[in-house]
């Protein structure tokens, strides 16, 4: 049989196979209910295809430092509300509802190691079709995705106590009587303080902004921008969306009223950062930062004195990429951020972080 005959035979087999698939789909013989598992052959093919798809599409990039404690803490806080319901966590079994999904979400304590860092990143960012595993809420925030990957690398080594300390910090659910349990829905899972701290204590991660003493108008505006998607964040969008307009105002007023706690880490002041913040750089068309961000500025602008340096640097880099330009204030900042060099970003962030906060 020559090549034409062989190709004709293969085409015929492919057509016959397609007809069989269409016939099975048309007949309804294949049970698609979640109460019944897949046929073993279908299960094998789906698993084989999934693993090869992840391997083929995972990006060939160098991950950040996944042992960075700030990155791990940020990932832990999001895992607790965004992932633990389906996948479980140390000391907290997965939801009984999730166990009856098809396929059921895996418990991740022993399922992380086989994947490379890049493959985990791709899975977290893009999710899986037909599994209930969602894509990251916004595709613009790779920095947030890496935070979750960093936490997943630590997850297999955590016991319930260390997990709770990473994910919840000092936030505790108060003891409730039977009526309170029956009548309320709020708890530690929903608390802003898990990431941002509360009275006398700031965030556990320096990648999280210090909200204490910031203008209430700015905080409320940021929550509205997160909820609408004008300001992209896969971590903040679900939380801000769930808050009513009144709740947004209340939480903004609460953090605006708090005294600023001392920083977790002390940044070293940079003279180059001071000059850029106070005088700007006319040749590069960079205005003085303090013209908008000092204590007397409009209430829609954040005060930067005493803010966490890693958080500020991350925000400036995100602005350089055009992230969040749908927000009016960030649209003002984006062109300025693009004129900054990486060195200037680091110097500015360090100088502002070294200052005492001025609410």
């Amino acid at each position: 049989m020559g090549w034409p005959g062989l190709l004709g035979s293969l085409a015929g087999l492919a057509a016959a196979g397609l007809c069989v698939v269409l016939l099975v789909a048309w007949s309804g013989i294949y049970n698609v209910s979640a109460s019944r598992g897949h046929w073993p052959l279908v299960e094998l093919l789906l698993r084989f295809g999934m693993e090869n798809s992840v391997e083929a599409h995972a990006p060939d990039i160098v991950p950040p430092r996944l042992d960075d404690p700030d990155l791990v803490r940020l990932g832990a806080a999001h895992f607790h509300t965004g992932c633990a319901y389906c996948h479980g966590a140390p000391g907290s079994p997965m939801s009984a509802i999730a166990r009856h999904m098809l396929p059921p979400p895996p418990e991740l304590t022993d399922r992380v190691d086989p994947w490379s860092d890049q493959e985990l990143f791709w899975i977290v960012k893009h999710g899986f079709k037909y599994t209930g595993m969602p894509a990251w809420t916004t595709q613009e925030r790779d920095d947030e995705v890496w935070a979750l990957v960093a936490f997943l690398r630590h997850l297999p080594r955590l016991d319930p106590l260390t997990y709770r300390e990473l994910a919840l910090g000092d936030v505790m659910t108060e003891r409730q009587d039977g009526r309170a349990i029956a009548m309320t829905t709020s708890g530690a899972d929903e608390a802003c303080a898990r990431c941002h701290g509360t009275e006398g204590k700031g965030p556990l991660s320096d990648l999280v902004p210090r909200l204490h003493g910031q203008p209430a108008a700015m905080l409320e505006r940021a929550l509205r921008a997160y909820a609408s998607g004008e300001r992209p964040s896969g971590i903040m969008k679900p939380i801000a969306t769930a808050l009513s307009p009144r709740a947004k105002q209340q939480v903004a007023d609460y953090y605006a009223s708090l005294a600023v706690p001392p920083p977790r880490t002390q940044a070293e002041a940079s003279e180059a950062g001071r000059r850029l913040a106070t005088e700007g750089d006319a040749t590069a068309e960079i205005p003085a930062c303090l013209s908008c961000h000092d204590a007397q500025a409009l209430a829609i602008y954040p005060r930067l004195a005493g803010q966490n340096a890693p958080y500020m640097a991350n925000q400036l880099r995100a602005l350089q990429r055009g992230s969040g330009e749908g927000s009016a204030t960030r649209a003002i900042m984006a062109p300025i951020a693009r004129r900054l060099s990486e060195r200037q970003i680091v110097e500015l962030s360090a100088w502002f972080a070294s200052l005492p906060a001025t609410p």
Side-chain angles (χ1 to χ4, degrees), residues 47-65:
R47 181 75 189 180
F48 180 75
M50 180 271 288
E51 291 177 350
N52 282 281
S53 178
V54 172
E55 183 179 354
H57 290 90
D60 184 17
I61 56 177
V62 178
R65 270 190 54 211

Side-chain angles (χ1 to χ4, degrees), residues 107-185:
E107 294 190 8
L108 299 178
T109 51
D110 59 351
R111 298 293 292 275
V112 173
D113 288 341
W115 301 103
S116 71
D117 296 335
Q118 292 84 352
E119 288 168 343
L120 280 176
F121 171 86
W122 190 89
I123 292 170
V124 172
K125 182 174 181 178
H126 298 288
F128 289 128
K129 297 175 181 176
Y130 308 119
T131 65
M133 169 69 180
W136 199 254
T137 306
T138 174
Q139 295 291 291
E140 301 177 47
R141 295 296 303 274
D142 287 359
D143 57 313
E144 293 180 340
V145 178
W146 280 120
L148 191 54
V149 173
F151 170 73
L152 290 175
R153 282 293 180 223
H154 283 69
L155 178 60
R157 303 193 295 272
L158 299 180
D159 58 31
L161 179 60
T162 53
Y163 169 77
R164 183 177 181 86
E165 289 174 349
L166 275 176
L168 296 177
D170 292 337
V171 176
M172 302 294 289
T173 304
E174 294 182 1
R175 291 184 178 275
Q176 297 177 314
D177 58 21
R179 183 179 185 280
I181 294 172
M183 297 293 289
T184 61
T185 59

Side-chain angles (χ1 to χ4, degrees), residues 9-347:
S9 298
L10 291 175
L13 288 173
L18 180 60
C19 288
V20 170
V21 171
L22 291 174
L23 181 61
V24 170
W26 173 79
S27 68
I29 190 173
Y30 187 76
N31 191 340
V32 298
S33 67
S35 61
R36 299 285 296 274
H38 289 300
W39 293 341
L41 178 60
V42 174
E43 181 78 32
L44 181 65
L45 288 173
L46 290 174
R47 181 75 189 180
F48 180 75
M50 180 271 288
E51 291 177 350
N52 282 281
S53 178
V54 172
E55 183 179 354
H57 290 90
D60 184 17
I61 56 177
V62 178
R65 270 190 54 211
L66 297 182
D67 60 348
D68 180 353
D70 287 321
L71 203 63
V72 174
R73 290 188 188 100
L74 179 59
H78 179 70
F79 180 90
H80 190 72
T81 52
C83 310
Y85 178 85
C86 286
H87 293 285
S92 302
M94 71 169 61
S95 160
I97 295 174
R99 288 184 184 277
H100 287 80
M101 295 169 63
L102 185 67
E107 294 190 8
L108 299 178
T109 51
D110 59 351
R111 298 293 292 275
V112 173
D113 288 341
W115 301 103
S116 71
D117 296 335
Q118 292 84 352
E119 288 168 343
L120 280 176
F121 171 86
W122 190 89
I123 292 170
V124 172
K125 182 174 181 178
H126 298 288
F128 289 128
K129 297 175 181 176
Y130 308 119
T131 65
M133 169 69 180
W136 199 254
T137 306
T138 174
Q139 295 291 291
E140 301 177 47
R141 295 296 303 274
D142 287 359
D143 57 313
E144 293 180 340
V145 178
W146 280 120
L148 191 54
V149 173
F151 170 73
L152 290 175
R153 282 293 180 223
H154 283 69
L155 178 60
R157 303 193 295 272
L158 299 180
D159 58 31
L161 179 60
T162 53
Y163 169 77
R164 183 177 181 86
E165 289 174 349
L166 275 176
L168 296 177
D170 292 337
V171 176
M172 302 294 289
T173 304
E174 294 182 1
R175 291 184 178 275
Q176 297 177 314
D177 58 21
R179 183 179 185 280
I181 294 172
M183 297 293 289
T184 61
T185 59
S186 62
D189 291 358
E190 302 167 3
C192 303
R194 288 185 305 105
C195 290
H196 294 286
T198 184
E199 294 94 336
K201 191 164 187 178
L204 291 176
S205 170
D206 284 347
L207 292 170
V208 175
R210 294 159 62 85
L211 305 184
H212 302 61
Q214 290 288 340
M218 184 275 292
L219 295 175
E220 184 192 11
R221 191 185 185 106
L223 286 170
R224 286 192 276 112
Y226 281 129
S228 68
E230 292 176 357
R231 187 170 177 177
S233 171
I235 294 175
M236 280 301 304
K237 183 177 176 63
I239 297 169
T241 302
L243 294 173
S244 68
R246 176 170 171 76
K248 289 182 178 66
Q249 181 64 65
Q250 288 174 317
V251 76
D253 289 342
Y254 168 72
Y255 274 104
S257 71
L258 295 182
V260 182
R264 280 195 324 119
T265 55
Q266 188 63 48
E268 293 186 10
S270 161
E271 176 58 23
R274 184 198 66 78
R275 286 199 307 271
L276 195 58
T278 57
E279 303 169 16
D281 183 344
T283 59
E285 298 184 4
I286 299 172
C289 305
L290 288 177
S291 60
C292 288
H293 295 289
D294 68 359
Q296 285 75 44
L298 293 176
I300 60 171
Y301 296 127
R303 277 52 176 157
L304 300 185
Q307 187 56 271
N308 290 328
Y311 168 76
M312 283 188 285
N314 262 5
Q315 290 299 303
L316 288 170
R317 294 180 189 120
L319 285 164
Q320 287 183 331
R321 298 191 299 268
S323 176
E325 286 189 82
S327 165
T329 51
R330 289 175 74 85
I332 296 171
M333 268 302 304
I336 301 171
R338 293 192 189 101
R339 299 180 194 124
L340 295 171
S341 67
E342 176 62 23
R343 180 176 178 177
Q344 288 174 318
I345 286 176
V346 173
E347 290 171 343

